[in-house]
Amino acid sequence: MKQSAISPELVKSIPLFSGLTEQERDGLLKEGRIRSWRRGQLLFRCGDAVACFYLVTAGVVQLYRENPHGKQKTLDVLEPGQTLCADEIMDACRTHRANALAMEDTVAMEFTQAWLKDAARRHGAFALNLLSLIAQRARLAELEAEHQASMSAAQLVACFLQRLCVLHELDPRGFTLPYSKTLIASRLGMELETFSRALAKLKEQGITVAGTHVIIDDLTRIERYTCGSCSVSDACATHGALEKRTQDKQARA
Amino acid sequence: MKQSAISPELVKSIPLFSGLTEQERDGLLKEGRIRSWRRGQLLFRCGDAVACFYLVTAGVVQLYRENPHGKQKTLDVLEPGQTLCADEIMDACRTHRANALAMEDTVAMEFTQAWLKDAARRHGAFALNLLSLIAQRARLAELEAEHQASMSAAQLVACFLQRLCVLHELDPRGFTLPYSKTLIASRLGMELETFSRALAKLKEQGITVAGTHVIIDDLTRIERYTCGSCSVSDACATHGALEKRTQDKQARA
DNA sequence: CGACACTTTGAAGACGATCAACGCCGGTGG
DNA sequence: CCACCGGCGTTGATCGTCTTCAAAGTGTCG
């Protein structure tokens, strides 16, 4: 196999394979099958039997679910280097819990379930990497759930924008939203109208949004969020600030 | 070590060790240290450095967190045979994300982090069991988050009671709540008052609660919840029923 | 009996969802 | 070139649900 679908740099940057020798890694990788999807196609559908483990090598994949009323909630947006279905395979549950949609033309490597389990069984390092991956995803999901429960819409949006800024290495003094507002609202689990109104409130907080252009005044304490923390307010600078403001407002009234 | 803190039956029922030989299992277990806590003591505190992996062998442990306003949210209630901190150890995060409180006099085996990682590295079966454990916990947490977001308080309570009934093998035609209402409300992420009012609404739904005594009329579709599913309404019998009722009511008005 | 923890009930308020209307823009077709 | 349309986002008004604060009820245990 002369030509690979995945660039050497991308391979090296994937934590799942760290600690393996190049031979081990390439041996594992060559068992994958390369597949492509056009923008708008589904990689799999919620309720389908879980069949494969995926490693995205190009494009963007949206994971979303619809609840009984037809409302869509976006769970995640995956970019090259990220993986799908590790948890669904390890978990006893046999069906997909979400839809996976190619938001752009997408290429991914596809592996069998047995491949994933064998790799974990055979290579101790791989098993630990996989454990770490799943545990981290679980922690983030947990943190997010706590945020949803304890923060207002405006606080959630502020958190999201700060995090976006850090994770995508955007300049806080001025950047363009990488996703549509509809998608972001869905990702944050709120209605588009609520999101829109939240943006207005943020102007007073030092976050200015006009169209798709964003300016964040104070990004000082942002690292705390990214690494997670015990207290939610510690974890999110803007959360604390807004909190205090709200209390002040109540005190005035 | 003649006397063990853990009964042979309990050991055999722990999925984490399945697929290992008895020698392997006992070899692993004997590296654990037996510790006890009195009712009301903390096993560890939110923010502490993660130090150990625990296997509860007697008693009850409450995992909870407090948010910035001092509100407590109960994350889980652990009983003998269950484990603590697997995810926190595998995850890169180095501090506990919750408090662990002994709700009764409690005994647990304590293992080092290195023990857990070595066990996963050395024993393929153990690694897969651990992956399965963490993935399942993550899935349940995700399901719960979705429930929180899409169901009313009454629906959440109904789900909880049904699940309680199944998991604790209680007789739906009449059983006593194993926890205080305050604890359950905290577990469900709602205020005690909201919980109390929700119970009243459930009377019309075939779930009668008087004091700590509960009667559930229809438990027919309960298994669907336990095994999880794509659609939330599929996953929770009462959710669907209440949903329809609400829509009917709106249609009438 | 009285103290205390736990629970219930009432009334008010905050917040987000929902419905509806409108503005903005890019594309398509006449 | 213009008219029309559809997707996207904003804004206003209303409504239901949960939280909050307050008060009263229930039970147990000394």
Side-chain angles (χ1 to χ4, degrees):
Chain A
M1 194 182 275
K2 202 163 57 185
Q3 184 203 336
S4 167
I6 180 168
S7 74
E9 307 87 61
L10 185 57
V11 166
K12 277 185 200 143
S13 72
I14 297 174
L16 197 52
F17 297 113
S18 81
L20 296 180
T21 66
E22 292 200 6
Q23 286 79 11
E24 288 173 330
R25 189 190 64 205
D26 294 341
L28 285 172
L29 274 174
K30 78 167 197 289
E31 293 182 48
R33 176 184 159 207
I34 293 157
R35 287 190 59 185
S36 346
W37 291 264
R38 295 231 151 265
R39 173 189 175 125
Q41 283 188 308
L42 287 171
L43 280 73
F44 52 79
R45 195 180 290 272
C46 184
D48 285 354
V50 174
C52 300
F53 173 74
Y54 300 89
L55 169 58
V56 179
T57 60
V60 182
V61 177
Q62 177 192 18
L63 267 181
Y64 69 95
R65 177 157 35 196
E66 21 203 289
N67 73 14
H69 316 302
K71 284 265 145 94
Q72 293 190 348
K73 162 88 202 267
T74 299
L75 302 175
D76 214 347
V77 176
L78 302 178
E79 286 168 12
Q82 297 193 273
T83 58
L84 276 93
C85 298
D87 37 6
E88 287 171 316
I89 291 175
M90 298 319 304
D91 177 356
C93 182
R94 293 229 150 276
T95 58
H96 285 295
R97 302 192 295 272
N99 302 293
L101 173 74
M103 292 177 63
E104 307 291 342
D105 289 355
T106 293
V107 182
M109 299 192 69
E110 193 178 83
F111 302 87
T112 65
Q113 295 187 48
W115 175 89
L116 187 70
K117 292 190 179 179
D118 283 346
R121 210 175 347 241
R122 294 213 190 106
H123 305 284
F126 187 91
L128 287 183
N129 293 338
L130 195 53
L131 277 161
S132 170
L133 181 77
I134 294 182
Q136 276 185 52
R137 293 177 53 82
R139 179 167 62 83
L140 274 183
E142 195 191 315
L143 184 64
E144 213 160 289
E146 183 168 342
H147 275 195
Q148 298 276 359
S150 70
M151 309 193 346
S152 72
Q155 291 165 344
L156 285 169
V157 173
C159 265
F160 177 84
L161 290 177
Q162 291 185 315
R163 204 151 87 97
L164 190 68
C165 206
V166 171
L167 295 181
H168 285 238
E169 294 173 346
L170 300 168
D171 180 355
R173 291 166 305 173
F175 64 92
T176 300
L177 288 176
Y179 312 118
S180 77
K181 293 187 177 180
T182 303
L183 177 61
I184 297 175
S186 158
R187 180 68 235 286
L188 292 176
M190 64 183 71
E191 297 304 313
L192 178 58
E193 294 96 323
T194 305
F195 178 74
S196 183
R197 285 185 249 264
L199 288 179
K201 288 188 199 157
L202 291 184
K203 299 223 165 103
E204 332 168 352
Q205 304 302 323
I207 299 184
T208 309
V209 182
T212 63
H213 194 75
V214 184
I215 303 170
I216 300 181
D217 290 352
D218 180 11
L219 206 53
T220 47
R221 276 180 293 170
I222 184 63
E223 321 80 42
R224 293 235 216 129
Y225 180 91
T226 313
C227 72
S229 159
C230 167
S231 156
V232 179
S233 69
D234 281 352
C236 177
T238 308
H239 178 211
L242 277 173
E243 200 50 53
K244 215 154 86 188
R245 246 196 92 82
T246 307
Q247 286 168 355
D248 291 351
K249 198 186 288 179
Q250 287 172 350
R252 278 200 307 274
Chain B
M1 193 182 276
K2 199 162 59 183
Q3 183 202 340
S4 167
I6 180 169
S7 74
E9 307 87 60
L10 185 58
V11 166
K12 275 184 199 144
S13 72
I14 297 174
L16 196 53
F17 296 113
S18 81
L20 297 180
T21 66
E22 292 199 6
Q23 286 80 12
E24 288 173 330
R25 189 191 64 206
D26 294 340
L28 284 171
L29 274 174
K30 78 167 196 290
E31 293 182 47
R33 175 184 157 207
I34 294 159
R35 287 191 60 186
S36 342
W37 291 264
R38 294 231 153 265
R39 172 190 175 126
Q41 283 189 307
L42 287 171
L43 280 72
F44 52 79
R45 194 181 290 273
C46 184
D48 285 355
V50 175
C52 301
F53 173 75
Y54 300 90
L55 169 58
V56 179
T57 60
V60 182
V61 177
Q62 176 192 19
L63 266 181
Y64 70 95
R65 177 156 35 195
E66 25 202 286
N67 73 13
H69 314 305
K71 285 264 143 95
Q72 293 191 348
K73 161 86 202 267
T74 299
L75 302 175
D76 214 347
V77 175
L78 302 178
E79 285 167 14
Q82 297 193 273
T83 58
L84 276 93
C85 299
D87 37 6
E88 287 171 318
I89 291 174
M90 297 320 303
D91 176 355
C93 183
R94 293 228 150 277
T95 58
H96 285 295
R97 303 192 295 272
N99 301 293
L101 173 74
M103 292 177 63
E104 307 291 342
D105 289 355
T106 294
V107 181
M109 299 192 69
E110 193 178 82
F111 302 87
T112 64
Q113 295 187 46
W115 175 88
L116 187 70
K117 291 191 180 181
D118 283 346
R121 212 177 343 244
R122 293 213 192 108
H123 305 285
F126 187 91
L128 288 183
N129 293 337
L130 194 53
L131 277 161
S132 171
L133 180 77
I134 294 182
Q136 276 185 51
R137 293 178 53 82
R139 179 167 62 82
L140 274 183
E142 196 191 315
L143 184 64
E144 212 160 290
E146 184 167 342
H147 275 196
Q148 297 276 0
S150 69
M151 308 193 348
S152 72
Q155 291 165 343
L156 285 169
V157 173
C159 265
F160 177 84
L161 290 178
Q162 291 185 315
R163 204 151 89 95
L164 190 67
C165 205
V166 171
L167 295 181
H168 286 237
E169 295 173 345
L170 300 168
D171 181 355
R173 292 167 304 173
F175 65 91
T176 299
L177 289 175
Y179 313 118
S180 77
K181 293 187 177 177
T182 304
L183 177 61
I184 297 176
S186 158
R187 179 69 236 284
L188 292 175
M190 65 183 68
E191 297 305 314
L192 177 59
E193 294 94 323
T194 306
F195 178 74
S196 181
R197 285 184 247 266
L199 288 179
K201 288 189 199 158
L202 290 184
K203 300 226 163 100
E204 332 168 351
Q205 305 301 323
I207 299 183
T208 309
V209 182
T212 63
H213 194 75
V214 183
I215 303 170
I216 300 181
D217 290 353
D218 181 12
L219 205 55
T220 47
R221 277 179 292 170
I222 183 63
E223 320 80 43
R224 293 236 216 131
Y225 180 92
T226 312
C227 74
S229 159
C230 167
S231 156
V232 179
S233 68
D234 281 353
C236 176
T238 308
H239 179 211
L242 276 173
E243 200 51 53
K244 215 154 87 188
R245 247 195 91 83
T246 307
Q247 284 168 358
D248 290 351
K249 198 186 289 181
Q250 286 171 351
R252 278 201 306 274

